């Protein structure tokens, strides 16, 4: 009896699958848009927020009479995205890489990976703040529409760190906080912390300067608790670590869970901001099967409701004037949030031009990766206990085999 | 006759296609990338760049970690498997399910949870502090990494040993007792040799994933000391250096094949003695 019920169920499932497939074929027109974005980087309907992708599907059907499905997937880093595109994955219609990666995609050795945008389909581009337009990665404003921007700062736990230590990059290299410091687990950002502190241009091609930064990171290694990316959330919120450099927007969401956390943008001796600004921008990669729909998607993302929903969800600064000039949005972010994300006393263009990452050519990238490799494989604070235990065991094993072999031979002599 | 044998081979065809597509072809790709540079020219420079003290240390370290994890797994798994095989058939089923239970959860989630358990402010230290102990520093140590390996791969050791022990004829044990062996001698001269095949496949199934693992060392070791799997992963994920990554994989494969050959040699020899 059980078997009959079971097979009946299986049949039902099969039937249901068949039906759902056939119903796909019935719709007269249907467009699929493949959006590839960072994780946690869009308002997705959780906690009562607006589900931007579903809203776009609805908007598309109402405006153009075409059924739209947004197929949304995520990646963890710019490098992942690049590796995916280069490995021949096609069919993505929208990607949102960071500035230096956009530059790398445009200048790619196998030809430009990005499509030129038709801005007549993106009228909302006019709302983008002037200072976010025509930046180094896309000076002619041909390929990109800024999505968010932000700055790297230092987060620290006020119960574990002295206030007076917290104003410069030195904090990440301070011996006092040995074992409580988190460092980025990606080469560019980790080297960035050392280079900003040493006053080195992060885009330099001078290897002696890169080596100086490596030296600093090697010295820092014994102080570092762990090299992490997303784990920073748990470790900082839980009080496991005291200090880490991370993005301002992420600090705001961490501070909600741990009120002891504080944040500052590192400054130099003149009190000027010395830190990385990044811009993440929407692009259409070559091989997009529906460029028009993709441009409409970009335009939709700049519309007021969607842009505010995203900005409130992500907590990063928005380049969209419809967002940052909106009173409700300002109230939602609070005074501290607004001051952090849109600092008045910062000259955006100056900081961006001086400190933002630019693409390194493939030879330089190789060199930097080699240095990072050196840091990561450098024999660290790891105790020798593992090797000793291993050695003892190996010796014991060998002794055991020799003894049993000798015994075996003796026994043979005895029996024969 | 010929027709029949062809027909007999037909069911194997899907697997043959599968293994050519997903095992042989990727291996060839690895070999190709390992012996070429970025422009596809033949080179052995990838292997040359591996001949440094740092990489040697990573290989040695990975081997040591995997070896220790395997030994610990064996020491824990053998008594457990023996105990399970001695219980009632019904209990055996339940206990086997319990052994497999952790594997129903994703490997990444299990490892991530260990991070929360072992941290200085984590579950274990919090619990210990209630009874006035600690805090003990456990996370980001080599011990934590080995713990992660043992925890994750233990079922792979228990299962084959259990299988070989449950097939063991109890009359042989009785015979050995009748012939005057005490229980220790029975264990070392009858039970252990007869379960050798299970032990050897258990060792293989723990050692190979341990030596090539990458996630455990990153999460439980704090990314401060690399194992070979981390280095390979980085070449493909972030450094975008398929050639070096393939070369490391290639060396690792050869190391694994070598150690497996040695293992199997032991198995055959000693097995022959028992038979």
């Amino acid at each position: 009896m059980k078997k009959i019920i079971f097979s009946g169920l299986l049949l039902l499932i099969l039937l249901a699958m068949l039906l759902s497939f056939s119903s796909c074929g019935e719709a007269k027109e249907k467009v699929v848009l493949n959006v590839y974005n960072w994780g946690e980087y869009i308002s997705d309907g959780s906690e009562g927020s607006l589900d931007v992708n579903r809203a776009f599907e609805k908007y598309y059907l109402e405006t153009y009479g075409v059924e739209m499905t947004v197929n949304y997937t995520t990646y963890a880093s710019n490098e992942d995205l690049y590796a995916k595109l280069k490995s021949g994955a096609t069919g993505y219609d929208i990607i949102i890489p960071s500035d230096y990666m956009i530059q790398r995609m445009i200048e790619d050795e196998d030809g430009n990976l990005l499509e030129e945008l038709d801005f007549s389909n993106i009228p909302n581009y006019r709302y983008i703040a002037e200072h976010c337009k025509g930046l180094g990665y896309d000076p002619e404003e041909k390929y990109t529409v800024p999505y968010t921007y932000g700055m790297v700062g230092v987060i620290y736990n006020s119960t574990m760190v002295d206030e007076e230590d917290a104003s410069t990059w030195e904090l990440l290299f301070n011996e006092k906080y040995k074992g409580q410091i988190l460092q980025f687990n990606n080469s560019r950002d980790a080297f960035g912390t050392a280079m900003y502190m040493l006053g080195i241009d992060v885009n330099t091609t001078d290897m002696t300067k890169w080596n100086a930064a490596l030296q600093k990171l090697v010295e820092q290694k014994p102080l570092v608790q762990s090299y992490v990316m997303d784990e920073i959330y748990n470790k900082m919120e839980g009080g496991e670590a005291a200090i880490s450099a991370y993005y301002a927007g992420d600090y705001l969401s961490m501070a909600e869970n741990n009120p002891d956390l504080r944040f500052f943008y590192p400054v130099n001796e003149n009190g000027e901001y010395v830190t990385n600004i990044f811009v993440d921008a929407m692009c259409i990669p070559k091989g997009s099967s529906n460029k028009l729909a993709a441009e409409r998607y970009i335009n939709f993302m700049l519309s007021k409701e969607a842009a505010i929903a995203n900005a409130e969800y992500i907590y990063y600064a928005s380049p969209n004037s419809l967002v940052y000039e909106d009173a409700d949005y300002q109230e939602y972010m609070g005074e501290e949030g607004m001051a952090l994300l849109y600092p008045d006393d910062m000259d955006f263009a100056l900081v961006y031009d001086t400190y933002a990452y630019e693409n390194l050519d493939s030879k330089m990238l190789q060199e930097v990766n080699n240095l990072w490799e050196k840091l990561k494989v450098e024999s660290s604070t790891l105790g020798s206990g593992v090797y000793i235990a291993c050695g003892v065991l190996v010796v014991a094993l060998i002794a055991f085999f020799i003894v049993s072999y000798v015994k075996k031979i003796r026994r043979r002599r005895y029996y024969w | 006759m010929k027709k029949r044998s062809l027909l007999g081979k037909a069911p194997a065809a899907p697997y043959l296609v599968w293994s050519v597509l997903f095992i042989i072809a990727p291996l060839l790709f690895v070999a190709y990338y390992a012996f070429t540079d970025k422009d596809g020219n033949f080179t052995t420079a990838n292997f040359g760049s591996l001949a440094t003290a740092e990489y040697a240390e990573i290989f040695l370290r990975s081997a040591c970690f995997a070896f220790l994890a395997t030994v610990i797994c064996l020491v824990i798994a053998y008594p457990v498997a023996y105990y399970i095989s001695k219980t009632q058939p019904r209990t055996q089923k339940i206990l086997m399910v319990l052994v497999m239970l952790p594997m129903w959860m994703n490997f990444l989630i299990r490892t991530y949870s260990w991070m929360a358990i072992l941290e200085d402010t984590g579950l274990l230290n919090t619990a210990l502090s209630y009874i006035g102990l600690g805090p003990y520093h456990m996370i980001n140590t080599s011990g934590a990494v080995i713990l992660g390996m043992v925890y994750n791969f233990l079922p792979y050791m228990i299962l084959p040993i259990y299988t070989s022990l449950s097939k063991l004829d109890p009359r042989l044990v009785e015979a050995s007792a009748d012939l005057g062996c005490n229980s220790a001698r029975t264990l070392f001269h009858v039970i252990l040799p007869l379960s050798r095949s299970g032990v050897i496949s258990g060792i293989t199934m723990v050692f190979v994933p341990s030596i090539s693992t990458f996630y455990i060392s990153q999460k439980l070791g704090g990314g401060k000391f690399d194992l070979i799997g981390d280095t390979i992963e980085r070449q493909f994920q972030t450094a975008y250096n398929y050639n070096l990554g393939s070369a490391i994989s290639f060396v690792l494969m050869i190391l694994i094949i070598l150690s497996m050959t040695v293992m199997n040699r032991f198995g055959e020899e000693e097995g022959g003695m028992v038979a």
Side-chain angles (χ1 to χ4, degrees), chain A residues 263-275:
Chain A
F263 182 90
F264 66 90
Y265 289 119
V267 292
N268 61 14
E269 59 274 18
N270 303 325
E272 295 159 348
Y273 288 125
V274 181
T275 191

Side-chain angles (χ1 to χ4, degrees), chain A residues 14-26:
Chain A
L14 264 176
L15 264 175
M17 279 168 75
L18 275 175
L19 278 175
S20 65
F21 273 121
S22 59
S23 67
C24 283
E26 275 165 25

Side-chain angles (χ1 to χ4, degrees), chain A residues 80 224 227 231 240 373, chain B residues 121 219 222 224 234-235 237:
Chain A
D80 278 0
V224 172
Y227 293 86
E231 298 94 317
E240 176 73 14
E373 214 44 53
Chain B
T121 56
K219 299 301 153 191
K224 289 182 79 177
R234 202 170 46 244
Q235 303 313 319
Q237 287 276 357

Side-chain angles (χ1 to χ4, degrees), chain A residues 123-392:
Chain A
N124 287 343
Y125 187 64
R126 66 178 184 274
Y127 299 124
I128 297 290
E130 279 308 315
H131 64 257
C132 294
K133 286 181 179 174
L135 294 168
Y137 59 90
D138 184 15
E140 290 163 49
E141 301 179 45
K142 276 157 74 178
Y143 303 103
T144 61
V145 173
Y147 182 66
T148 52
Y149 69 94
M151 287 161 58
V152 174
V154 178
I155 305 167
Y156 64 96
N157 189 319
S158 56
T159 61
M160 297 150 95
V161 175
D162 294 332
E163 208 73 30
E164 67 259 28
D165 295 331
S167 64
T168 65
W169 285 108
E170 295 280 351
L171 183 60
L172 265 93
F173 299 84
N174 195 328
E175 299 260 349
K176 241 163 89 181
Y177 305 109
K178 183 174 180 174
Q180 301 183 324
I181 300 166
L182 301 177
Q183 176 61 284
F184 285 109
N185 195 17
N186 81 64
S187 53
R188 204 72 203 268
D189 283 323
F191 272 103
T193 60
M195 294 169 103
Y196 291 131
M197 193 190 82
L198 296 170
I200 299 171
D201 173 15
V202 285
N203 302 309
T204 181
T205 51
D206 182 350
M207 281 319 289
T208 56
K209 290 187 174 163
W210 279 96
N211 272 306
L214 174 68
Q215 191 52 43
K216 201 75 209 167
L217 290 177
V218 170
E219 283 166 24
Q220 185 204 24
K221 197 167 179 179
L223 310 180
V224 172
Q225 181 185 93
S226 51
Y227 293 86
V228 284
M229 293 301 294
D230 288 341
E231 298 94 317
I232 283 181
Y233 280 90
N234 282 332
K235 291 189 190 277
M236 292 302 293
E237 286 172 2
E240 176 73 14
I243 300 161
S244 79
Y246 221 55
Y247 311 104
D250 296 314
Y251 157 71
L252 289 175
S253 39
M254 283 181 225
E256 281 186 354
N257 296 320
N258 185 347
D260 292 333
L261 296 182
R262 300 284 181 274
F263 182 90
F264 66 90
Y265 289 119
V267 292
N268 61 14
E269 59 274 18
N270 303 325
E272 295 159 348
Y273 288 125
V274 181
T275 191
N276 175 242
I277 299 190
F278 67 88
V279 178
D280 290 343
M282 297 179 272
C283 319
I284 303 180
K286 287 255 162 72
S288 160
S289 52
N290 201 336
K291 189 164 167 270
L292 177 65
E295 282 158 353
R296 286 170 176 164
Y297 183 83
I298 293 177
N299 193 51
F300 182 78
M301 294 295 261
L302 299 181
S303 66
K304 186 164 180 174
E305 204 190 354
I308 290 183
N310 282 333
E312 291 183 350
Y313 183 89
I314 308 171
Y315 278 120
Y316 281 17
S318 170
N320 191 330
S321 58
L322 291 178
V323 176
Y324 62 78
E325 286 171 1
D326 183 75
D328 289 338
Y329 169 75
Q330 290 177 359
E331 196 192 315
Y332 179 87
M333 296 310 289
E335 242 170 74
E336 194 207 355
M338 288 303 287
L340 264 184
L341 294 183
Y342 310 93
D344 292 330
D345 53 344
M346 183 188 73
D347 183 344
F348 184 94
L350 179 78
V351 177
Y352 189 89
D353 291 342
T354 324
Y355 299 116
Y357 301 148
E358 285 165 23
N359 181 38
L360 302 170
D361 64 33
S362 59
K363 206 173 141 258
M364 271 308 292
L365 271 177
Q366 189 59 52
E367 296 277 353
V368 171
N369 278 324
N370 290 345
L371 292 187
W372 179 243
E373 214 44 53
K374 264 190 198 162
L375 176 71
K376 295 295 288 213
V377 305
E378 195 256 344
S379 53
S380 63
T381 48
L382 176 68
S384 49
V386 171
Y387 296 117
I388 295 170
C390 254
V392 169

